Amino acid sequence: MIRPSLRLTSALLCALSLTLTASCSGARYRSTTDDGARTGPGSVSTAQCDSYQPTAGVSDKDITLGTTLPVTGPLAAAGTIRYGLQAYFDYINAEHGGVKGHRVRLLVRDDAYDPARAATNVGELTGHSNVFALVSPVGTANVLAFRDDLEQQCIPNLLVASGAPAFADTAHPWTLTGLPTYSAEAAALAETITASKKVKTVAVLSQNDDYGRAYLDAFQARLAGSHVKVVAKRTYDVTQPTVDTQVTQLAATKADAVLVAALGAKCPQITNGIADTTWRPKVLVGSLCTTRSLMQLMKPAARDALVTTQWYKSPGNKRWASDPAMALYRKKIAQYAPKADPNEDFVLNGWLWGQLTVDLLERAPKLTRADVMSTARAASLKTDTMLDGVSFRTGPDDASPLESLQPVQYTASGFSPIDAATGKLLPNGETKLVSFEGTSGKTK
């Protein structure tokens, strides 16, 4: 069965049909390597496992996966990842016979973005519910709360919804991030201001945890030796009701730019707070700040000139209105997850991670935990919902699978890609990715 992809063969089949028929738009997606070859497994050892159960969660008919994420609480927007995951698995089950004849089941648990609850959820999922693997659990502190337990049991922890460098570490072979590292994103944002002669000073407001520190460290490392100087740094705790004091203190610096390393509701709170002052810096934010639900909470003045990065086809971008992959996504979200907002980036992320999960399961020689994790550790995949030029690559010494980003600048009416080397907006339809290995980068 062929799924729509960016391979020439699939493109030609659709072109021969002259119009986008159901056989093309409804076909099952298969990711490819750059040359179209299938990936093969690497080698993940089970020697250190306390009790390795290779096929736990796999029956004659089903393969059961689990996730824990914030369905409720201050970061509930990220919990909508579950809609995209579930919709893709339901689509594969109903229309393509599942994976190797197995229906993919997903068990979802709400942790309200609380690490203790996340650890409890995972204990139940891997114990009583006996899931085969975790897929796309959300949050740095949350995943750190149970990562080592999964490692000791040799349970795959796939496509973690956190870009913390801790999850792009070959020393933890059973855990794999599903995002570009925050370090790479922070470095890409730094690139956009080092190219500008107008920006000489920058302030930083960051979340007081591993997430915020990862951004700050990489951002400062990328600015080292450049003409741009960090003139002030402030932090906030997730539980703080407001960040007004920090915004006021940073506004007093009159810095030319500000890095906002925030999550959830704090993103619009901070950007709106800046817009309410007389300070007009270039505002740099992580991509998790620019999901549809958060952008809708920002005032037009707060969205204007906002700079972030992208690596997937954002469903809020009109550029993808007629894209076949996005048309299929919207159709199936409406069919299998009618409560979800298809324009929400987190929903698209879930769908994309569902694509990658199914690909990894299919490519594994057998449906065993070691084979699936080994396959994930030696992958070169491309989904049709990623930007052109972006791929998912891993290897024995590379646990950072997504290393290409496109800087973009928002306005009150939309956004445009940026050439990081010049700081100039690119014409509609053009991209110029910044590619990174670790936190060193170059423009492609």
Side-chain angles (χ1 to χ4, degrees):
M1 290 178 285
I2 298 176
R3 289 178 270 173
S5 75
L6 298 179
R7 277 189 294 180
L8 182 60
T9 51
S10 295
L12 285 174
L13 286 171
C14 289
L16 288 172
S17 70
L18 299 181
T19 60
L20 190 61
T21 64
S23 63
C24 286
S25 63
R28 184 181 175 188
Y29 169 84
R30 172 173 288 289
S31 73
T32 66
T33 59
D34 289 352
D35 60 4
R38 292 179 66 85
T39 56
S43 178
V44 174
S45 173
T46 60
Q48 81 285 2
C49 302
D50 289 343
S51 59
Y52 176 55
Q53 301 178 49
T55 58
V58 180
S59 69
D60 291 341
K61 296 182 179 180
D62 298 330
I63 179 167
T64 303
L65 308 175
T67 192
T68 179
L69 37 68
V71 176
T72 59
L75 295 178
T80 60
I81 288 168
R82 70 189 187 279
Y83 290 129
L85 281 171
Q86 189 67 69
Y88 191 75
F89 295 152
D90 287 348
Y91 160 58
I92 290 298
N93 293 336
E95 303 184 33
H96 300 287
V99 173
K100 297 180 178 179
H102 294 72
R103 182 182 62 157
V104 183
R105 298 177 64 235
L106 178 67
L107 303 183
V108 177
R109 299 291 183 266
D110 177 21
D111 56 41
Y113 206 68
D114 174 49
R117 283 183 62 177
T120 299
N121 288 345
V122 171
E124 188 276 327
L125 287 168
T126 58
H128 176 74
S129 297
N130 204 30
V131 299
F132 178 79
L134 267 287
V135 57
S136 303
V138 171
T140 301
N142 287 21
V143 178
L144 286 175
F146 58 77
R147 178 189 63 179
D148 290 348
D149 288 340
L150 296 186
E151 294 274 339
Q152 290 171 5
Q153 298 176 68
C154 290
I155 298 174
N157 191 8
L158 298 170
L159 308 172
V160 169
S162 167
F167 305 131
D169 183 357
T170 55
H172 295 88
W174 292 86
T175 303
L176 187 62
T177 184
L179 287 171
T181 65
Y182 299 142
S183 300
E185 184 169 49
L189 291 172
E191 287 280 300
T192 66
I193 59 173
T194 57
S196 171
K197 294 181 180 179
K198 295 181 179 179
V199 177
K200 296 181 181 179
T201 57
V202 60
V204 179
L205 179 52
S206 57
Q207 193 163 291
N208 188 24
D209 58 12
D210 289 339
Y211 167 80
R213 284 187 286 275
Y215 263 89
L216 176 60
D217 291 347
F219 187 73
Q220 291 186 131
R222 192 64 184 167
L223 292 181
S226 76
H227 68 279
V228 181
K229 304 301 178 185
V230 177
V231 294
K233 293 178 285 188
R234 295 292 184 274
T235 63
Y236 71 89
D237 294 323
V238 175
T239 55
Q240 284 184 233
T242 74
V243 287
D244 294 346
T245 299
Q246 292 93 323
V247 169
T248 299
Q249 291 171 342
L250 294 181
T253 70
K254 300 297 183 182
D256 302 319
V258 58
L259 172 68
V260 177
L263 288 172
K266 284 295 188 293
C267 295
Q269 191 179 108
I270 293 168
T271 55
N272 286 339
I274 292 171
D276 288 341
T277 70
T278 58
W279 186 31
R280 291 295 175 264
K282 182 182 288 290
V283 181
L284 315 175
V285 299
S287 56
L288 295 179
C289 267
T290 56
T291 63
R292 176 178 170 82
S293 58
L294 295 178
M295 293 292 285
Q296 288 179 327
L297 298 176
M298 294 184 194
K299 301 174 181 179
R303 295 194 299 268
D304 195 30
L306 206 65
V307 175
T308 189
T309 69
Q310 291 181 344
W311 57 277
Y312 55 86
K313 297 174 182 176
S314 176
N317 189 344
K318 295 179 181 179
R319 174 183 175 187
W320 309 116
S322 59
D323 181 81
M326 296 302 286
L328 178 65
Y329 156 76
R330 291 180 180 281
K331 178 180 179 181
K332 298 308 174 184
I333 290 295
Q335 182 176 353
Y336 294 112
K339 293 182 180 179
D341 177 0
N343 290 318
E344 172 56 60
D345 291 65
F346 282 124
V347 178
L348 185 278
N349 291 157
W351 175 271
L352 189 159
W353 288 326
Q355 291 180 301
L356 288 173
T357 299
V358 167
D359 277 327
L360 292 172
L361 294 173
E362 288 183 335
R363 293 172 186 277
K366 297 178 181 179
L367 285 179
T368 68
R369 284 169 165 170
D371 272 8
V372 169
M373 202 68 230
S374 293
T375 300
R377 283 296 189 180
S380 181
L381 310 176
K382 169 71 180 176
T383 78
D384 55 5
T385 46
M386 291 177 183
L387 293 178
D388 289 352
V390 177
S391 60
F392 185 95
R393 292 176 175 272
T394 57
D397 300 315
D398 184 5
S400 180
L402 293 158
E403 296 181 327
S404 295
L405 299 164
Q406 176 59 58
V408 296
Q409 179 170 310
Y410 278 80
T411 65
S413 59
F415 58 83
S416 300
I418 301 171
D419 181 348
T422 64
K424 295 181 179 179
L425 300 182
L426 295 169
N428 189 36
E430 289 189 20
T431 57
K432 199 160 188 179
L433 301 177
V434 179
S435 294
F436 290 88
E437 292 184 4
T439 56
S440 62
K442 60 182 181 180
T443 302
K444 287 177 65 176

